[in-house]
Amino acid sequence: MLIVFYISAAIAVLATMVAITRRHAVHALLYLIVSLLAVAVVFYVIGAPFLAALELIIYAGAIMVLFLFVVMMLNIGENAMEVETMWLKPTVWAWPAALATFLVAELTYVAFNAGRPAGPMHTFTPKEIGIALFGPYAIGVELASLLLLSGLAGAYHVGRRASREEEQYSAGSDGRRAVSSGEPVRAGSDRTSDAA
Amino acid sequence: MHALLWMIPAFPLASAAILAFFGKRISHRAAAFIGTASIGLSALVAIFMAAGFLRSTPDSHAWVQTLWTWMGVGDFRPEIAFYYDPVALIMTLVITFVGFLIHLYSVEYMRGDEGFSRFFAYMNLFVAAMLILVLANNLLVLYVGWEGVGLCSFLLLGVWYKDPANVRAANKAFLVTRIGDTAFAIGLFLLATHLGTLDIQELMRRATAQWPAGSGIAIAAAALLLGGAVGKSAQLPLQTWLPDAMAGPTPTSALIHAATMVTAGVYLIARTNVLFTLAPPVQFAVALIGGATMLMAAFSAIAQHDIKRVLAYSTMSQIGYMFMALGLGAWSAALFHFMTHAFFKALLFLAAGVVIQAMHHEQDMFRMGGLRFELPLAFWSFIIGGSALAGLPLITAGFFSKDLILWQAWAGPNGNGGFWIAGLLGAMLTSFYTYRLILLVFYGPEEREVSHRPGFCVIIPLVTLCALSIVGGYVDTPPDFGGAPIFSDFLGSVLPALKQFHVGPITELSTALCASASFAIGFGFAYILYAPWRPRTRREDPLLRLWHAGWGVDWLYDRLFVMPFQFLVHRTGSDVIDAIYTGIAKLADSAARALRVTQNGRVRWYATGIAAGFVVLFGIAIFVR
Amino acid sequence: MLYLAVSLFALGLIGLLTRRNLIFTLMCIEVMLNASGLAFVAGSYRWGRPDGQIMFLFILAMAAAEVSVGLALFLQFHRRAPELDSDSASRMRG
């Protein structure tokens, strides 16, 4: 069991690493799906089969597919390739990597002091999770449903094609506002977050 | 009975408050009504009190009404209290009555002006402050009134504040009188610390008890009070503000700068006369200042072109007369002249206002002429008022008051031939410039068309003041002439009367004749030089120019004080202390500019910030704890 | 296992800070969410209680809602600026 865990952990990390360095959007998404699969395996290993299934169905199955839908609908991948090449120079990775290293160091330190598991591994069946959901966490369920409802309504409203007047209004005011700049800070440089 | 004393200043004060708060919302008619009626009510109360006082004069010749104790610091407990004695009686009657007439006049004069209710609020406030001044029982309350009239003078001069020239004149008036006020305040400190009280009567008693005549401290106190009086009454050396104060509306000039405020100094010296008697050099200085100003102003008046400036210098000169009388110890004579002067000077100013309005706000005399048929009311007002000013013998009030002063100068115990000659010269000059003015304005060829005839509200005050200018003098005739010194006797109960130097009717007659002669000489000169058939050319020789500029005192002060001060201010405008404040501002600015860089609107940047912050805080949390 | 979660989270963070294209930003957010969910489940494993898994469930639900709204916003952004540069959306600067 432990071997499976380590292998899938390695796959997850590797896949994520590759995913974030791809230039083509669809490639990155596909690698991400691989990573999610690996994480699902990890879930299964540590006694959360229900969660593994959920991860696959919802995360990899719905959310990532949604991403793919949007990317393919807007045909982003092809067009963005050259731009991405320009943007992703090696120096770009410097500061975020440093920051992340710090973060990892700290969290590792914390995690190091965390203890070993208390007793034998307990595999949680869906039944147990269901009992917990309908018991103490019932309100969480209700709130989650509320959240999803608002997400639904918001997504519909925000994403719809604006009516003719709205477009004209926003286009006109955008045009006006785009002309007047004059702020001292440069906009849109090709360097990343250079704190230097 | 004397519990009603507080009402005399209270009415104008209340109406000033009402007009100040609601002036914008009520109609002009209502504002005029409130403003004028309050003074009228005050006048009625004053008359009522005067009648009561005359009917049953108390033994101490004074009523005191104490309202409350202002403060209590150790032994020093000044109270808000009013004091009513013959002097206060005269002053309140004059102020309220003449004030009422001037307010009535203003209703028409200021008609249609956008600062109408503001004007009336200020005028009422002024009358209230002046009444507080004259009714004050102690010098602290008097100082409150003193400052109040100074403030109102500033406000009224600047009532048309959109014109910067008016504002400059108002500033100048306030600043120059402030110098006097500072001297006055230091004098008050001196008196309070040395004598322990500011209650006037008590002060006089203690001063006579503790300070020998001629002692340094008495001289210092009296000199400081004189400084204040000089500032307020526009005498040398603080006289420069009065001619420029003619920038204000004519009713203001009539009320403040002719009848009342400028006489506050005279009142002060008369009230604290004991102090001045204890300091003979200062009293002599009073007379000297009075005489010098009288002559200086008279010379300046004969060279003026502006009708109101002639009257301003004339006021200065007449107050010089009053100061001279005070300096000679003729206290009652000074107050008598104050009363008659209030009548005819107010009359002259109001009539000048009629002329100015008729001439489309033209104030240059050389552009007027031949108005005696067009404006008969103004013409006769000027004739009567001007003759009173010049001292037309026997029928005008001015003759009697001026004659009294001159007589005291010659024959009184402190009399001095020099002052008498100065007085005669002044009388001649007065007559000269007065008739010069009348001849220029009312005779000769007509230069311009008359635009505006006076209405009802103007006619009443002018006629009333004319009558008073004629009969006002009969209350005090010299002993051998008419034999009825009612006024002096009345005031003599509280003001020390001069010892009667009985010199016999011959001397009296001859001094009166001399006064009349100087009047006639002045009139003659004026007639010769400005007769109707002569051409109206402006003469420009240097002496006249010097007199026109008021003997160059303005120019001198400008060079001596104003320019160095402005130079200093200019130089220290950005010195090290300012650098601290500007430095702080610059620091804030550059800090803001530096921090602004972090707000570049980019999401990634902000996310980095969040992550970095988290890293740091987390590090602190786990490593430091 | 926590190391795994930590490293996944860090990777997601790096990706978020580096990529300018908006779609990658959203993607890396998902990575981070997933990583934190993993941490929760690890906790559930360690203490043998279902609460961590419940928490992951809620995180999942939240991620779903957030993705939908986020993609809707992404659509709007795409309409205005077809080059999906998050750095150009800097009108709130200064």
Side-chain angles (χ1 to χ4, degrees):
Chain A
M1 272 293 147
L2 211 56
I3 283 292
V4 177
F5 167 71
Y6 279 119
I7 294 178
S8 31
I11 294 180
V13 172
L14 231 70
T16 316
M17 250 197 281
V18 172
I20 61 180
T21 56
R22 291 303 98 197
R23 288 195 301 233
H24 198 292
V26 180
H27 295 177
L29 282 170
L30 290 174
Y31 277 108
L32 196 55
I33 292 181
V34 169
S35 161
L36 289 174
L37 280 168
V39 169
V41 171
V42 167
F43 280 162
Y44 183 78
V45 164
I46 65 174
F50 184 57
L51 282 190
L54 273 181
E55 165 108 358
L56 280 177
I57 297 174
I58 298 177
Y59 227 124
I63 296 178
M64 284 301 134
V65 169
L66 189 59
F67 263 101
L68 277 171
F69 267 169
V70 171
V71 168
M72 287 181 182
M73 179 173 77
L74 300 178
N75 214 4
I76 295 175
E78 290 298 328
N79 304 339
M81 286 275 287
E82 321 78 46
V83 195
E84 291 287 340
T85 327
M86 180 182 70
W87 283 347
L88 280 185
K89 301 202 173 39
T91 47
V92 159
W93 297 93
W95 279 106
L99 206 55
T101 318
F102 273 123
L103 191 59
V104 168
E106 281 178 3
L107 290 174
T108 318
Y109 174 77
V110 172
F112 193 68
N113 297 333
R116 316 243 79 227
M121 187 185 74
H122 178 89
T123 307
F124 288 96
T125 58
K127 181 172 172 184
E128 289 168 19
I129 300 200
I131 291 173
L133 270 181
F134 278 96
Y137 288 104
I139 189 166
V141 174
E142 302 306 319
L143 287 176
S145 70
L146 206 59
L147 182 65
L148 287 170
L149 177 66
S150 60
L152 175 69
Y156 166 73
H157 181 77
V158 173
R160 73 189 165 109
R161 194 164 288 281
S163 64
R164 185 57 58 83
E165 304 105 47
E166 280 180 15
E167 231 163 50
Q168 276 178 352
Y169 168 74
S170 57
S173 51
D174 275 350
R176 263 199 298 281
R177 264 176 273 160
V179 175
S180 62
S181 54
E183 293 300 315
V185 182
R186 300 158 292 143
S189 65
D190 52 317
R191 294 195 63 84
T192 58
S193 54
D194 54 323
Chain B
M1 164 70 80
H2 61 299
L4 296 177
L5 258 183
W6 66 276
M7 275 209 240
I8 301 183
F11 281 127
L13 201 57
S15 104
I18 293 176
L19 286 174
F21 286 127
F22 303 114
K24 278 272 173 358
R25 284 176 248 166
I26 58 181
S27 69
H28 280 191
R29 281 177 75 92
F33 181 72
I34 294 177
T36 321
S38 66
I39 311 283
L41 280 172
S42 242
L44 284 175
V45 176
I47 294 176
F48 185 56
M49 301 225 60
F53 190 82
L54 288 171
R55 210 185 8 238
S56 57
T57 321
D59 293 325
S60 61
H61 294 283
W63 282 335
V64 178
Q65 182 189 25
T66 310
L67 292 179
W68 69 84
T69 307
W70 187 351
M71 57 177 123
V73 181
D75 283 335
F76 184 60
R77 308 187 67 90
E79 303 162 328
I80 307 282
F82 294 131
Y83 183 80
Y84 196 73
D85 67 348
V87 175
L89 188 153
I90 302 288
M91 303 282 303
T92 49
L93 281 178
V94 169
I95 294 170
T96 51
F97 201 60
V98 174
F100 175 69
L101 292 173
I102 293 179
H103 275 76
L104 196 57
Y105 175 92
S106 317
V107 170
E108 177 169 330
Y109 190 81
M110 300 290 286
R111 182 168 296 163
D113 196 283
E114 52 94 18
F116 191 76
S117 42
R118 204 158 34 100
F119 176 79
F120 270 96
Y122 294 157
M123 292 281 269
N124 280 359
L125 188 62
F126 169 81
V127 174
M130 190 73 201
L131 287 170
I132 291 178
L133 199 158
V134 300
L135 285 174
N137 186 28
N138 56 41
L139 286 178
L140 208 55
V141 178
L142 194 148
Y143 194 63
V144 169
W146 190 271
E147 292 295 305
V149 298
L151 171 72
C152 293
S153 164
F154 169 77
L155 289 172
L156 279 165
L157 282 182
V159 75
W160 294 321
Y161 55 86
K162 302 220 169 93
D163 182 358
N166 290 345
V167 175
R168 270 199 298 274
N171 281 346
K172 184 172 176 185
F174 192 71
L175 285 173
V176 174
T177 48
R178 204 92 193 95
I179 300 176
D181 293 348
T182 316
F184 189 18
I186 299 179
L188 285 185
F189 297 152
L190 200 66
L191 287 171
T193 50
H194 280 263
L195 294 177
T197 179
L198 284 178
D199 185 285
I200 298 184
Q201 304 306 314
E202 185 61 29
L203 202 63
M204 299 298 123
R205 268 196 290 275
R206 289 193 198 178
T208 20
Q210 294 177 11
W211 292 345
S215 62
I217 187 144
I219 293 182
L224 287 169
L225 289 184
L226 175 63
V230 156
K232 207 51 121 197
S233 297
Q235 302 292 291
L236 277 174
L238 296 173
Q239 88 283 15
T240 50
W241 64 272
L242 191 56
D244 288 332
M246 296 298 117
T250 308
T252 305
S253 308
L255 185 60
I256 299 187
H257 306 129
T260 38
M261 184 177 96
V262 289
T263 53
V266 176
Y267 172 75
L268 176 69
I269 298 183
R271 261 270 181 258
T272 55
N273 57 72
V274 169
L275 214 54
F276 284 87
T277 331
L278 287 176
V282 180
Q283 198 172 4
F284 186 70
V286 172
L288 202 60
I289 289 178
T293 314
M294 172 181 65
L295 286 177
M296 235 188 70
F299 274 115
S300 297
I302 65 180
Q304 297 298 322
H305 309 144
D306 185 333
I307 193 174
K308 278 175 75 171
R309 282 177 91 102
V310 174
L311 295 177
Y313 278 109
S314 162
T315 305
M316 213 190 281
S317 170
Q318 295 303 306
I319 299 178
Y321 259 109
M322 296 181 219
F323 265 61
M324 204 169 74
L326 291 171
L328 296 172
W331 319 101
S332 322
L335 285 178
F336 183 40
H337 195 57
F338 152 74
M339 189 176 84
T340 56
H341 175 262
F343 295 146
F344 58 69
K345 197 41 78 60
L347 174 66
L348 284 173
F349 266 108
L350 295 186
V354 170
V355 170
I356 291 173
Q357 257 195 335
M359 294 265 95
H360 314 271
H361 294 282
E362 170 67 64
Q363 291 184 253
D364 189 337
M365 290 190 297
F366 284 90
R367 298 218 193 103
M368 308 175 190
L371 289 176
R372 70 179 182 283
F373 300 116
E374 301 285 329
L375 298 173
L377 177 65
F379 173 60
W380 283 107
S381 306
F382 261 98
I383 290 283
I384 295 176
S387 306
L389 174 59
L392 185 63
L394 289 182
I395 54 174
T396 57
F399 171 69
F400 287 107
S401 55
K402 201 177 292 188
D403 186 53
L404 189 59
I405 296 180
L406 288 174
W407 185 67
Q408 300 282 18
W410 172 250
N414 300 346
N416 195 337
F419 283 124
W420 182 68
I421 303 224
L424 281 181
L425 185 61
M428 186 175 80
L429 288 172
T430 308
S431 162
F432 179 64
Y433 66 66
T434 310
Y435 288 106
R436 168 179 180 263
L437 188 150
I438 295 180
L439 284 169
L440 276 177
V441 173
F442 293 103
Y443 285 85
E446 243 188 72
E447 303 269 341
R448 286 181 75 153
E449 265 299 311
V450 169
S451 73
H452 181 96
R453 301 294 164 106
F456 197 49
C457 286
V458 166
I459 297 180
I460 296 183
L462 285 181
V463 168
T464 319
L465 286 172
C466 283
L468 281 172
S469 301
I470 296 181
V471 305
Y474 290 130
V475 293
D476 197 316
T477 55
D480 289 311
F481 240 128
I486 310 172
F487 196 83
S488 301
D489 281 345
F490 181 56
L491 288 183
S493 52
V494 282
L495 292 176
L498 284 183
K499 288 190 282 290
Q500 291 296 346
F501 230 95
H502 206 90
V503 288
I506 309 280
T507 321
E508 263 197 47
L509 193 62
S510 44
T511 51
L513 277 178
C514 283
S516 313
S518 55
F519 166 81
I521 296 175
F523 177 70
F525 268 125
Y527 195 75
I528 295 173
L529 286 175
Y530 291 102
W533 58 81
R534 281 200 167 238
R536 295 293 164 84
T537 52
R538 253 187 261 215
R539 303 161 48 131
E540 284 291 344
D541 52 339
L543 196 58
L544 271 184
R545 254 200 303 235
L546 178 69
W547 288 341
H548 177 76
W551 293 82
V553 181
D554 245 337
W555 179 91
L556 184 69
Y557 285 166
D558 202 38
R559 295 278 181 291
L560 214 53
F561 298 117
V562 178
M563 290 171 111
F565 184 72
Q566 280 178 335
F567 173 71
L568 271 179
V569 167
H570 192 72
R571 288 298 289 269
T572 62
S574 51
D575 62 353
V576 79
I577 299 192
D578 277 316
I580 296 180
Y581 296 112
T582 49
I584 293 178
K586 283 207 188 94
L587 192 66
D589 196 36
S590 38
R593 225 182 287 263
L595 283 176
R596 201 200 229 166
V597 176
T598 61
Q599 292 278 84
N600 59 8
R602 298 193 223 149
V603 177
R604 295 189 299 135
W605 175 266
Y606 294 155
T608 317
I610 295 174
F614 172 76
V615 165
V616 168
L617 286 174
F618 198 64
I620 293 176
I622 58 177
F623 289 120
V624 171
R625 272 210 318 115
Chain C
M1 191 174 341
L2 272 179
Y3 301 144
L4 173 64
V6 166
S7 34
L8 279 182
F9 186 85
L11 282 173
L13 185 65
I14 291 180
L16 177 66
L17 297 181
T18 317
R19 304 305 296 253
R20 283 166 82 170
N21 197 330
L22 220 56
I23 201 77
F24 285 100
T25 313
L26 285 171
M27 199 180 71
C28 296
I29 292 178
E30 296 310 312
V31 171
M32 292 204 287
L33 278 173
N34 186 39
S36 54
L38 178 61
F40 270 105
V41 176
S44 148
Y45 164 71
R46 168 161 173 3
W47 280 293
R49 298 172 53 92
D51 301 294
Q53 304 190 1
I54 306 291
M55 195 61 213
F56 181 79
L57 204 66
F58 291 141
I59 290 180
L60 207 55
M62 185 224 92
E66 168 244 331
V67 156
S68 45
V69 175
L71 283 175
L73 285 171
F74 177 77
L75 279 180
Q76 286 288 353
F77 197 86
H78 178 75
R79 283 196 205 118
R80 296 194 201 289
E83 323 78 38
L84 298 150
D85 179 12
S86 66
D87 276 354
S88 71
S90 58
R91 243 198 300 174
M92 300 259 292
R93 65 170 174 237

